[in-house]
Short mmCIF file of all heavy atoms in Angstrom, two decimals:
data_model
loop_
_atom_site.label_atom_id
_atom_site.label_comp_id
_atom_site.label_asym_id
_atom_site.label_seq_id
_atom_site.Cartn_x
_atom_site.Cartn_y
_atom_site.Cartn_z
N VAL A 28 -48.47 -1.31 -50.15
CA VAL A 28 -48.77 -2.63 -50.72
C VAL A 28 -49.59 -2.49 -52.00
O VAL A 28 -49.32 -3.16 -53.01
CB VAL A 28 -49.53 -3.50 -49.70
CG1 VAL A 28 -50.06 -4.77 -50.38
CG2 VAL A 28 -48.63 -3.86 -48.54
N ALA A 29 -50.57 -1.59 -51.98
CA ALA A 29 -51.40 -1.37 -53.18
C ALA A 29 -50.55 -0.87 -54.34
O ALA A 29 -50.73 -1.28 -55.49
CB ALA A 29 -52.51 -0.39 -52.86
N LEU A 30 -49.60 0.02 -54.02
CA LEU A 30 -48.73 0.55 -55.08
C LEU A 30 -47.86 -0.55 -55.66
O LEU A 30 -47.70 -0.64 -56.89
CB LEU A 30 -47.86 1.67 -54.50
CG LEU A 30 -46.85 2.30 -55.48
CD1 LEU A 30 -47.58 2.92 -56.66
CD2 LEU A 30 -46.00 3.34 -54.75
N VAL A 31 -47.31 -1.39 -54.80
CA VAL A 31 -46.47 -2.49 -55.27
C VAL A 31 -47.29 -3.44 -56.15
O VAL A 31 -46.84 -3.86 -57.22
CB VAL A 31 -45.85 -3.25 -54.09
CG1 VAL A 31 -45.20 -4.55 -54.57
CG2 VAL A 31 -44.83 -2.38 -53.38
N LEU A 32 -48.50 -3.77 -55.71
CA LEU A 32 -49.36 -4.67 -56.50
C LEU A 32 -49.69 -4.05 -57.85
O LEU A 32 -49.71 -4.74 -58.87
CB LEU A 32 -50.64 -4.98 -55.73
CG LEU A 32 -50.49 -5.89 -54.51
CD1 LEU A 32 -51.81 -6.03 -53.78
CD2 LEU A 32 -49.95 -7.26 -54.92
N ALA A 33 -49.97 -2.75 -57.84
CA ALA A 33 -50.28 -2.07 -59.10
C ALA A 33 -49.10 -2.12 -60.05
O ALA A 33 -49.26 -2.37 -61.26
CB ALA A 33 -50.69 -0.63 -58.82
N VAL A 34 -47.91 -1.91 -59.53
CA VAL A 34 -46.71 -1.97 -60.36
C VAL A 34 -46.51 -3.38 -60.91
O VAL A 34 -46.18 -3.56 -62.10
CB VAL A 34 -45.47 -1.51 -59.56
CG1 VAL A 34 -44.19 -1.80 -60.34
CG2 VAL A 34 -45.58 -0.04 -59.23
N VAL A 35 -46.73 -4.39 -60.06
CA VAL A 35 -46.59 -5.78 -60.51
C VAL A 35 -47.58 -6.08 -61.64
O VAL A 35 -47.21 -6.70 -62.65
CB VAL A 35 -46.79 -6.75 -59.33
CG1 VAL A 35 -46.91 -8.19 -59.84
CG2 VAL A 35 -45.64 -6.64 -58.35
N VAL A 36 -48.82 -5.65 -61.47
CA VAL A 36 -49.84 -5.88 -62.50
C VAL A 36 -49.43 -5.21 -63.81
O VAL A 36 -49.55 -5.80 -64.89
CB VAL A 36 -51.21 -5.37 -62.03
CG1 VAL A 36 -52.20 -5.33 -63.18
CG2 VAL A 36 -51.75 -6.25 -60.91
N LEU A 37 -48.94 -3.99 -63.73
CA LEU A 37 -48.53 -3.27 -64.94
C LEU A 37 -47.34 -3.94 -65.62
O LEU A 37 -47.31 -4.05 -66.86
CB LEU A 37 -48.19 -1.82 -64.59
CG LEU A 37 -49.37 -0.92 -64.19
CD1 LEU A 37 -48.87 0.44 -63.77
CD2 LEU A 37 -50.36 -0.79 -65.34
N VAL A 38 -46.39 -4.41 -64.82
CA VAL A 38 -45.22 -5.09 -65.38
C VAL A 38 -45.64 -6.38 -66.06
O VAL A 38 -45.19 -6.69 -67.19
CB VAL A 38 -44.17 -5.36 -64.30
CG1 VAL A 38 -43.08 -6.30 -64.82
CG2 VAL A 38 -43.55 -4.06 -63.82
N LEU A 39 -46.53 -7.15 -65.42
CA LEU A 39 -47.00 -8.40 -66.02
C LEU A 39 -47.80 -8.12 -67.29
O LEU A 39 -47.67 -8.85 -68.28
CB LEU A 39 -47.85 -9.18 -65.01
CG LEU A 39 -47.10 -9.78 -63.83
CD1 LEU A 39 -48.07 -10.40 -62.84
CD2 LEU A 39 -46.08 -10.83 -64.31
N ALA A 40 -48.64 -7.08 -67.25
CA ALA A 40 -49.41 -6.73 -68.44
C ALA A 40 -48.51 -6.34 -69.60
O ALA A 40 -48.76 -6.69 -70.75
CB ALA A 40 -50.39 -5.60 -68.12
N TRP A 41 -47.45 -5.60 -69.30
CA TRP A 41 -46.49 -5.22 -70.35
C TRP A 41 -45.78 -6.45 -70.90
O TRP A 41 -45.63 -6.61 -72.11
CB TRP A 41 -45.47 -4.24 -69.78
CG TRP A 41 -44.30 -4.01 -70.68
CD1 TRP A 41 -43.05 -4.56 -70.58
CD2 TRP A 41 -44.27 -3.20 -71.85
NE1 TRP A 41 -42.25 -4.14 -71.60
CE2 TRP A 41 -42.97 -3.30 -72.41
CE3 TRP A 41 -45.20 -2.40 -72.49
CZ2 TRP A 41 -42.59 -2.63 -73.56
CZ3 TRP A 41 -44.83 -1.72 -73.65
CH2 TRP A 41 -43.54 -1.84 -74.17
N ALA A 42 -45.35 -7.34 -70.01
CA ALA A 42 -44.55 -8.49 -70.42
C ALA A 42 -45.36 -9.52 -71.19
O ALA A 42 -44.86 -10.13 -72.14
CB ALA A 42 -43.90 -9.13 -69.20
N PHE A 43 -46.62 -9.70 -70.80
CA PHE A 43 -47.42 -10.80 -71.37
C PHE A 43 -48.58 -10.31 -72.23
O PHE A 43 -49.49 -11.07 -72.53
CB PHE A 43 -47.94 -11.69 -70.24
CG PHE A 43 -46.86 -12.42 -69.49
CD1 PHE A 43 -46.44 -11.97 -68.26
CD2 PHE A 43 -46.24 -13.53 -70.05
CE1 PHE A 43 -45.43 -12.63 -67.56
CE2 PHE A 43 -45.23 -14.20 -69.36
CZ PHE A 43 -44.82 -13.74 -68.12
N GLN A 44 -48.55 -9.05 -72.65
CA GLN A 44 -49.70 -8.51 -73.37
C GLN A 44 -49.99 -9.25 -74.66
O GLN A 44 -51.15 -9.43 -75.04
CB GLN A 44 -49.50 -7.02 -73.65
CG GLN A 44 -48.30 -6.69 -74.51
CD GLN A 44 -48.14 -5.19 -74.70
OE1 GLN A 44 -48.69 -4.63 -75.63
NE2 GLN A 44 -47.42 -4.55 -73.79
N ARG A 45 -48.95 -9.68 -75.36
CA ARG A 45 -49.21 -10.36 -76.63
C ARG A 45 -49.85 -11.73 -76.43
O ARG A 45 -50.55 -12.22 -77.31
CB ARG A 45 -47.92 -10.45 -77.45
CG ARG A 45 -47.57 -9.09 -78.07
CD ARG A 45 -46.32 -9.10 -78.89
NE ARG A 45 -46.16 -7.84 -79.61
CZ ARG A 45 -45.00 -7.22 -79.82
NH1 ARG A 45 -43.88 -7.77 -79.36
NH2 ARG A 45 -44.96 -6.09 -80.49
N GLN A 46 -49.63 -12.34 -75.27
CA GLN A 46 -50.31 -13.59 -74.97
C GLN A 46 -51.80 -13.36 -74.72
O GLN A 46 -52.61 -14.28 -74.87
CB GLN A 46 -49.68 -14.28 -73.76
CG GLN A 46 -48.35 -14.98 -74.05
CD GLN A 46 -47.17 -14.04 -73.96
OE1 GLN A 46 -47.31 -12.82 -74.01
NE2 GLN A 46 -45.97 -14.59 -73.83
N LEU A 47 -52.16 -12.13 -74.36
CA LEU A 47 -53.57 -11.79 -74.18
C LEU A 47 -54.23 -11.40 -75.51
O LEU A 47 -55.42 -11.58 -75.70
CB LEU A 47 -53.71 -10.63 -73.19
CG LEU A 47 -53.22 -10.87 -71.77
CD1 LEU A 47 -53.31 -9.58 -70.95
CD2 LEU A 47 -54.02 -11.98 -71.10
N VAL A 48 -53.43 -10.87 -76.44
CA VAL A 48 -53.96 -10.40 -77.72
C VAL A 48 -54.06 -11.52 -78.74
O VAL A 48 -55.08 -11.68 -79.42
CB VAL A 48 -53.09 -9.26 -78.28
CG1 VAL A 48 -53.53 -8.87 -79.69
CG2 VAL A 48 -53.14 -8.05 -77.35
N TYR A 49 -53.00 -12.32 -78.84
CA TYR A 49 -52.92 -13.36 -79.87
C TYR A 49 -53.15 -14.73 -79.24
O TYR A 49 -52.42 -15.12 -78.33
CB TYR A 49 -51.55 -13.31 -80.55
CG TYR A 49 -51.21 -11.95 -81.11
CD1 TYR A 49 -50.27 -11.12 -80.49
CD2 TYR A 49 -51.84 -11.45 -82.26
CE1 TYR A 49 -49.96 -9.87 -80.99
CE2 TYR A 49 -51.54 -10.20 -82.76
CZ TYR A 49 -50.60 -9.41 -82.13
OH TYR A 49 -50.30 -8.16 -82.63
N LEU A 50 -54.14 -15.44 -79.75
CA LEU A 50 -54.55 -16.72 -79.16
C LEU A 50 -54.54 -17.81 -80.23
O LEU A 50 -55.59 -18.30 -80.67
CB LEU A 50 -55.95 -16.58 -78.55
CG LEU A 50 -56.13 -15.44 -77.54
CD1 LEU A 50 -57.59 -15.27 -77.17
CD2 LEU A 50 -55.27 -15.68 -76.30
N PRO A 51 -53.36 -18.22 -80.66
CA PRO A 51 -53.29 -19.19 -81.77
C PRO A 51 -53.65 -20.60 -81.35
O PRO A 51 -53.44 -21.00 -80.20
CB PRO A 51 -51.83 -19.10 -82.19
CG PRO A 51 -51.10 -18.69 -80.96
CD PRO A 51 -52.03 -17.77 -80.23
N SER A 52 -54.19 -21.37 -82.31
CA SER A 52 -54.35 -22.81 -82.17
C SER A 52 -53.25 -23.49 -82.97
O SER A 52 -52.61 -22.88 -83.83
CB SER A 52 -55.72 -23.25 -82.69
OG SER A 52 -56.76 -22.71 -81.89
N GLY A 53 -53.05 -24.78 -82.71
CA GLY A 53 -52.03 -25.54 -83.41
C GLY A 53 -52.46 -25.91 -84.82
O GLY A 53 -53.48 -25.45 -85.34
N ALA A 54 -51.66 -26.75 -85.45
CA ALA A 54 -51.92 -27.15 -86.82
C ALA A 54 -53.28 -27.85 -86.94
O ALA A 54 -53.66 -28.61 -86.04
CB ALA A 54 -50.81 -28.07 -87.32
N PRO A 55 -54.01 -27.60 -88.01
CA PRO A 55 -55.32 -28.25 -88.19
C PRO A 55 -55.17 -29.76 -88.26
O PRO A 55 -54.18 -30.29 -88.78
CB PRO A 55 -55.82 -27.69 -89.53
CG PRO A 55 -55.05 -26.44 -89.74
CD PRO A 55 -53.71 -26.66 -89.10
N ALA A 56 -56.19 -30.45 -87.74
CA ALA A 56 -56.17 -31.91 -87.79
C ALA A 56 -56.45 -32.42 -89.19
O ALA A 56 -55.94 -33.47 -89.61
CB ALA A 56 -57.19 -32.48 -86.80
N ALA A 57 -57.28 -31.70 -89.94
CA ALA A 57 -57.67 -32.13 -91.27
C ALA A 57 -56.76 -31.54 -92.33
O ALA A 57 -56.24 -30.43 -92.18
CB ALA A 57 -59.12 -31.72 -91.55
N ALA A 58 -56.54 -32.29 -93.41
CA ALA A 58 -55.79 -31.78 -94.55
C ALA A 58 -56.68 -30.84 -95.35
O ALA A 58 -57.91 -30.94 -95.31
CB ALA A 58 -55.34 -32.95 -95.43
N PRO A 59 -56.09 -29.90 -96.11
CA PRO A 59 -56.90 -28.92 -96.84
C PRO A 59 -57.86 -29.56 -97.84
O PRO A 59 -58.97 -29.07 -98.04
CB PRO A 59 -55.87 -28.04 -97.54
CG PRO A 59 -54.60 -28.84 -97.54
CD PRO A 59 -54.65 -29.66 -96.31
N GLU A 60 -57.45 -30.66 -98.47
CA GLU A 60 -58.32 -31.29 -99.45
C GLU A 60 -59.53 -31.95 -98.81
O GLU A 60 -60.53 -32.22 -99.49
CB GLU A 60 -57.54 -32.31 -100.29
CG GLU A 60 -56.87 -33.42 -99.50
CD GLU A 60 -55.45 -33.07 -99.08
OE1 GLU A 60 -55.10 -31.87 -99.07
OE2 GLU A 60 -54.68 -34.02 -98.76
N ARG A 61 -59.46 -32.21 -97.52
CA ARG A 61 -60.63 -32.75 -96.79
C ARG A 61 -61.51 -31.62 -96.27
O ARG A 61 -62.72 -31.78 -96.14
CB ARG A 61 -60.17 -33.63 -95.63
CG ARG A 61 -59.49 -34.92 -96.07
CD ARG A 61 -59.07 -35.76 -94.88
NE ARG A 61 -60.23 -36.18 -94.09
CZ ARG A 61 -60.95 -37.28 -94.33
NH1 ARG A 61 -60.64 -38.05 -95.36
NH2 ARG A 61 -61.97 -37.60 -93.56
N ALA A 62 -60.90 -30.48 -95.95
CA ALA A 62 -61.66 -29.36 -95.40
C ALA A 62 -62.31 -28.51 -96.48
O ALA A 62 -63.33 -27.85 -96.22
CB ALA A 62 -60.75 -28.49 -94.55
N LEU A 63 -61.72 -28.51 -97.70
CA LEU A 63 -62.19 -27.64 -98.78
C LEU A 63 -62.25 -28.42 -100.09
O LEU A 63 -61.35 -29.21 -100.39
CB LEU A 63 -61.24 -26.44 -98.95
CG LEU A 63 -61.17 -25.45 -97.80
CD1 LEU A 63 -59.93 -24.57 -97.93
CD2 LEU A 63 -62.42 -24.60 -97.76
N ASP A 64 -63.28 -28.17 -100.86
CA ASP A 64 -63.42 -28.80 -102.16
C ASP A 64 -62.30 -28.30 -103.09
O ASP A 64 -62.27 -27.12 -103.43
CB ASP A 64 -64.79 -28.47 -102.75
CG ASP A 64 -65.10 -29.25 -104.01
OD1 ASP A 64 -64.26 -30.07 -104.42
OD2 ASP A 64 -66.20 -29.06 -104.57
N GLY A 65 -61.38 -29.20 -103.44
CA GLY A 65 -60.24 -28.80 -104.27
C GLY A 65 -59.17 -28.05 -103.52
O GLY A 65 -58.27 -27.48 -104.15
N GLY A 66 -59.24 -28.04 -102.20
CA GLY A 66 -58.29 -27.27 -101.40
C GLY A 66 -56.88 -27.83 -101.46
O GLY A 66 -56.67 -29.02 -101.67
N SER A 67 -55.92 -26.93 -101.26
CA SER A 67 -54.52 -27.33 -101.25
C SER A 67 -53.74 -26.42 -100.32
O SER A 67 -54.16 -25.30 -100.02
CB SER A 67 -53.92 -27.26 -102.66
OG SER A 67 -53.99 -25.94 -103.18
N ALA A 68 -52.61 -26.94 -99.85
CA ALA A 68 -51.71 -26.15 -99.00
C ALA A 68 -50.72 -25.39 -99.88
O ALA A 68 -50.25 -25.90 -100.89
CB ALA A 68 -50.97 -27.05 -98.03
N VAL A 69 -50.42 -24.16 -99.48
CA VAL A 69 -49.41 -23.37 -100.17
C VAL A 69 -48.43 -22.85 -99.13
O VAL A 69 -48.76 -22.71 -97.96
CB VAL A 69 -50.03 -22.20 -100.96
CG1 VAL A 69 -50.98 -22.70 -102.03
CG2 VAL A 69 -50.76 -21.23 -100.02
N THR A 70 -47.22 -22.57 -99.59
CA THR A 70 -46.19 -22.01 -98.72
C THR A 70 -45.93 -20.57 -99.10
O THR A 70 -45.69 -20.26 -100.27
CB THR A 70 -44.89 -22.82 -98.81
OG1 THR A 70 -45.15 -24.17 -98.42
CG2 THR A 70 -43.82 -22.24 -97.89
N LEU A 71 -45.98 -19.70 -98.12
CA LEU A 71 -45.73 -18.27 -98.32
C LEU A 71 -44.42 -17.91 -97.65
O LEU A 71 -44.21 -18.21 -96.47
CB LEU A 71 -46.87 -17.44 -97.70
CG LEU A 71 -48.30 -17.83 -98.08
CD1 LEU A 71 -49.29 -16.98 -97.30
CD2 LEU A 71 -48.52 -17.69 -99.57
N ARG A 72 -43.55 -17.26 -98.40
CA ARG A 72 -42.26 -16.85 -97.86
C ARG A 72 -42.32 -15.39 -97.47
O ARG A 72 -42.60 -14.52 -98.31
CB ARG A 72 -41.17 -17.06 -98.92
CG ARG A 72 -39.77 -16.70 -98.47
CD ARG A 72 -39.19 -17.77 -97.56
NE ARG A 72 -37.76 -17.54 -97.30
CZ ARG A 72 -37.01 -18.30 -96.54
NH1 ARG A 72 -37.54 -19.36 -95.94
NH2 ARG A 72 -35.74 -18.04 -96.34
#
């Protein structure tokens, strides 16, 4: 049972590791010109 649980933990860690590393928030509520003096949004390709 311990071996099975260990394998399950390792498989889950492998599958979901990026969800543990990267923790993004959604789009900011404020516009850049409100958050920064003279701020503006730019698009990067």
Side-chain angles (χ1 to χ4, degrees):
V28 170
L30 178 61
V31 169
L32 290 176
V34 170
V35 169
V36 168
L37 290 176
V38 169
L39 290 174
W41 168 258
F43 295 102
Q44 61 182 271
R45 284 180 171 142
Q46 284 85 342
L47 298 175
V48 173
Y49 305 106
L50 306 172
S52 295
E60 58 270 19
R61 293 181 63 86
L63 294 164
D64 189 0
S67 60
V69 299
T70 300
L71 310 176
R72 182 76 170 179

